[in-house]
Amino acid sequence: RFLLLQNRQGKTRLSKWWIPPPEDAEKVRMEGDIHRLVVSRDPKHTNFIEFETYKLIYRRYAGLFFTVGVDTNDNELVYLETIHLFVELLDQYFGNVCELDIVFNFNKVYAILDEFILAGEVQETSKKEILDRIRELEKLE
């Protein structure tokens, strides 16, 4: 349904919706609620949270929280691995990615995400293939 990248303060750095997103005010409320749930969660608990009519799968890398909203019957472990692969892609592309890379190169981050996930479904799992496509697109710019 969606992917959110939020920092510890709750600022959304990346937001990708594969379903029609709610109205702006509702979207801001949801992002705030999701952030509060994820940040306040005890590290001893699982990275899966039931939220409204779907499930949140999240993972923290440094100061960023990667959260995916999925249907309740989807496999959580697949999405944990999806988040991890996305972070590995960003790390390889930017060379140890940080929050500023995402803020100042958001168009590249969206391009990587679009090569990796299409219409909410993982399309390619090969890091080499995805990064090669991104480099090909850069040559056309």
Side-chain angles (χ1 to χ4, degrees):
R1 293 175 175 255
F2 61 85
L3 180 129
L4 297 176
L5 226 126
Q6 297 174 311
N7 65 14
R8 280 185 239 165
Q9 291 75 35
K11 181 81 174 151
T12 300
R13 295 303 187 184
L14 182 87
S15 171
K16 179 77 174 184
W17 293 76
W18 291 286
I19 59 168
E23 298 296 320
D24 286 340
E26 176 67 12
K27 192 158 97 171
V28 169
R29 184 200 60 79
M30 277 181 65
E31 288 174 2
D33 290 348
I34 290 167
H35 179 262
R36 278 187 291 283
L37 278 171
V38 168
V39 169
S40 64
R41 190 133 164 116
D42 190 330
K44 292 183 280 186
H45 291 101
T46 65
N47 292 16
F48 320 128
I49 303 171
E50 295 286 331
F51 180 75
E52 295 179 4
T53 60
Y54 40 89
K55 198 180 317 183
L56 301 175
I57 292 101
Y58 71 94
R59 198 151 185 191
R60 179 180 174 191
Y61 288 93
L64 293 173
F65 291 90
F66 292 74
T67 307
V68 179
V70 300
D71 293 325
T72 55
N73 58 353
D74 285 348
N75 185 335
E76 299 95 347
L77 297 177
V78 168
Y79 288 100
L80 267 180
E81 200 55 40
T82 300
I83 292 170
H84 185 69
L85 182 57
F86 183 51
V87 171
E88 285 181 338
L89 284 165
L90 294 176
D91 263 347
Q92 280 190 6
Y93 183 79
F94 291 108
N96 200 11
V97 69
C98 68
E99 186 175 346
L100 289 177
D101 291 325
I102 293 165
V103 170
F104 292 116
N105 299 293
F106 67 91
N107 55 338
K108 295 292 181 198
V109 176
Y110 276 115
I112 292 169
L113 185 59
D114 289 340
E115 288 295 329
F116 177 38
I117 300 174
L118 181 66
E121 299 293 328
V122 175
Q123 294 302 303
E124 181 61 67
T125 57
S126 167
K127 287 184 275 189
K128 181 186 178 319
E129 284 295 318
I130 294 169
L131 294 173
D132 285 349
R133 286 187 206 149
I134 296 299
R135 289 185 188 101
E136 285 296 317
L137 288 172
E138 285 175 347
K139 289 177 187 174
L140 297 174
E141 291 177 352

